Amino acid sequence: MGNRQIVKVLTLDDFDLKGKTVFLRVDMNCPIDPNTLEISGTRRIEEAIETLDSLKEAKVVIGSHQGRVGNNEYIGMDKHAKVLEKLIGRKIKYVEDTIGEAAQNAIKNLQEGDILLLDNLRLCAEENYEFTPENAAKTIMVTRLSKLFDLCVLDSFPSAHRSHPSIVGFAQVLPACAGRIVEREVRNLDEIMTVAKAPHVIVLGGSKIPDRLEAIKLLIQNGRADHVLLTGLIGNVFMRAQARIKSPMGIKREEEVVAKAHSLIGEYPDVFATPVDIAIDKDGERVEMDVREMGKGDKIYDLGPKTVEYYSKLIAGAGTVFISGPAGYFEKENFSYGTNALLNAVANSMATTIVSGGHLTTALRQQGLVDKINHISTAGGALVLYLTGTKLPMIKALEDAAIRYKSK
Ligand code: 3PG
């Protein structure tokens, strides 16, 4: 992991924050229980507290997205407001609006020390599209709301790879700085990347397949992935590409992603490792089998022990390990084995270690392994992309804002 991303951004320490109205973009995109629609992991809400503590004398307007339009996790932010209020022990005002009159009035009425949480920013259609920074600055969201703010604080590292209006637009027209999470992530990752040694082992699970495929190629091309050990849904996609899973799995854009995985395997035949055995759910019971023994309709919920042994050996020989995304349906006790075993292998290796994503962060905590890891981040896709050496849109927006601010 060679080249450093030298980052020159402003931080909260560069501004007099007293009495200022601040737009704070955080990432409170939390796992949501599909049955109850309750928040099932609050880690990303907890993370907002450090920056909020630094903004105690300001009037703070928090914006975040939650889920994607049309998926199970796409809900309003009212529950987040309650969780944050409990965790921080301060009143959190909440408005069921993003850019309309209700939101604008709520912002205008803020007093010093107040915190207001806006509703899910993706309720505003614009926030679901990628823009150039210049065009993001012209969106209705940014033109309407920026008039009410003195400063933009960007702290949503997990969504730093999105060029949505709230992430790159406000920073074009307002003074902008990094919040505490972004400041720390970038500093730590930058330090780690300068000392990181080969072989680089990437353990990749998770479900956002198109994002993952794009990042894998860049990681390999940039010398950051000598071995890619695949788990979770992305592992299944590669097993279909190898024709080891025969029937369609019913995932979005399946043929397209399988074709991409197929061409990656062809291009880099020695890099990828896929599971040899797995566990499926049979009437609530865990049943382990070789991948070749799977029947039509069997759903893979976890890795089997042979795969864990095989992957653990590669992890033990690594100079740097990056693990992102659970290895299976780890929320179900019966199927948490693979995720927990791989995390243990990572924690006990001699390598420099990075653990990424909300699910793995939670699993690490549950197992008391936090102190054995060099860097832990709730970011998933953004962190994978950062490690490829790509300049993330949010970081670029912050750097450009710093240049503009200093040249004034
Ligand atoms: C994440 O959890 O990866 C971020 O919140 C970004 O979410 P998105 O992939 O829906 O943009």
Side-chain angles (χ1 to χ4, degrees):
M1 305 208 176
N3 58 326
R4 299 180 66 167
Q5 296 206 19
I6 307 294
V7 178
K8 300 174 207 84
V9 303
L10 300 172
T11 71
L12 290 162
D13 304 323
D14 292 304
F15 292 91
D16 173 14
L17 302 164
K18 190 169 165 50
K20 299 286 178 345
T21 307
V22 174
F23 174 68
L24 170 62
R25 179 54 161 104
V26 298
D27 191 328
M28 290 187 182
N29 184 24
C30 294
I32 304 294
D33 184 306
N35 301 315
T36 61
L37 297 187
E38 292 297 329
I39 297 170
S40 57
T42 58
R43 187 73 200 122
R44 284 193 179 167
I45 303 179
E46 267 169 60
E47 282 193 329
I49 293 175
E50 192 181 350
T51 295
L52 286 169
D53 283 347
S54 298
L55 287 165
K56 267 192 177 138
E57 296 184 327
K59 304 169 189 175
V60 183
V61 181
I62 308 178
S64 173
H65 69 281
Q66 169 62 56
R68 290 183 182 180
V69 176
N71 76 8
N72 280 338
E73 305 205 318
Y74 184 58
I75 62 167
M77 303 300 290
D78 45 330
K79 290 174 178 150
H80 303 66
K82 290 199 183 97
V83 172
L84 179 59
E85 188 163 277
K86 223 176 177 173
L87 290 172
I88 199 171
R90 290 166 64 192
K91 167 92 191 128
I92 302 297
K93 298 186 171 185
Y94 172 67
V95 60
E96 218 171 79
D97 188 16
T98 54
I99 63 168
E101 214 177 314
Q104 292 180 43
N105 286 337
I107 297 169
K108 286 177 195 157
N109 289 331
L110 288 176
Q111 304 296 315
E112 209 172 291
D114 282 353
I115 303 173
L116 169 72
L117 176 61
L118 300 176
D119 209 342
N120 188 343
L121 293 181
R122 288 186 179 171
L123 285 164
C124 176
E126 292 168 336
E127 187 68 5
N128 298 281
Y129 295 93
E130 305 260 323
F131 292 86
T132 61
E134 295 72 24
N135 286 339
K138 292 181 199 147
T139 55
I140 302 175
M141 175 185 283
V142 174
T143 50
R144 275 192 195 167
L145 296 189
S146 59
K147 292 187 220 120
L148 307 174
F149 303 136
D150 301 303
L151 174 69
C152 160
V153 178
L154 297 177
D155 212 21
S156 58
F157 189 70
S159 36
H161 55 322
R162 307 286 179 223
S163 37
H164 296 159
S166 69
I167 296 168
V168 298
F170 288 109
Q172 286 280 311
V173 293
L174 291 168
C177 71
R180 299 298 182 208
I181 298 173
V182 168
E183 191 187 338
R184 188 174 42 250
E185 289 268 9
V186 168
R187 193 184 47 234
N188 286 356
L189 288 168
D190 201 26
E191 273 169 26
I192 286 178
M193 283 159 79
T194 55
V195 297
K197 289 189 212 65
H200 302 291
V201 172
I202 310 283
V203 189
L204 219 51
S207 56
K208 291 177 183 170
I209 311 297
D211 284 3
R212 291 279 196 244
L213 287 171
E214 196 184 317
I216 287 173
K217 188 163 184 155
L218 286 168
L219 284 166
I220 299 171
Q221 283 172 343
N222 296 344
R224 312 248 172 103
D226 300 303
H227 299 285
V228 178
L229 320 185
L230 296 158
T231 70
L233 205 54
I234 182 99
N236 301 353
V237 168
F238 274 75
M239 285 194 279
R240 246 213 96 199
Q242 294 168 322
R244 294 172 60 227
I245 292 182
K246 301 269 185 290
S247 28
M249 299 171 296
I251 61 171
K252 272 192 200 157
R253 295 162 60 186
E254 183 160 338
E255 294 315 315
E256 179 193 331
V257 293
V258 168
K260 277 200 181 148
H262 189 264
S263 79
L264 278 171
I265 297 169
E267 223 175 320
Y268 306 104
D270 302 328
V271 171
F272 296 102
T274 50
V276 283
D277 59 345
I278 46 94
I280 62 161
D281 178 286
K282 267 240 156 52
D283 306 322
E285 293 298 312
R286 176 186 174 96
V287 178
E288 290 173 358
M289 61 180 72
D290 192 285
V291 174
R292 286 169 304 192
E293 291 162 6
M294 273 174 65
K296 207 171 175 185
D298 281 346
K299 290 230 175 321
I300 303 176
Y301 273 23
D302 196 9
L303 301 174
K306 286 187 208 147
T307 309
V308 166
E309 198 188 328
Y310 164 40
Y311 284 8
S312 298
K313 275 194 187 134
L314 289 167
I315 290 169
T320 309
V321 188
F322 171 66
I323 180 167
S324 178
Y329 202 159
F330 95 102
E331 296 90 335
K332 288 193 181 234
E333 215 187 318
N334 266 355
F335 300 101
S336 59
Y337 159 77
T339 301
N340 291 338
L342 292 184
L343 280 176
N344 270 285
V346 173
N348 292 313
S349 80
M350 301 297 283
T352 302
T353 50
I354 304 174
V355 175
S356 137
H359 289 112
L360 291 189
T361 311
T362 305
L364 263 188
R365 279 174 193 280
Q366 283 167 357
Q367 291 186 80
L369 296 173
V370 169
D371 294 340
K372 294 183 147 192
I373 304 293
N374 293 92
H375 184 68
I376 301 170
S377 170
T378 62
L383 180 49
V384 180
L385 215 57
Y386 187 89
L387 295 179
T388 66
T390 304
K391 180 75 74 186
L392 304 183
M394 176 192 282
I395 306 297
K396 173 87 174 67
L398 284 168
E399 289 181 351
D400 290 348
I403 294 168
R404 272 194 301 274
Y405 186 75
K406 283 175 186 162
S407 68
K408 268 189 189 158

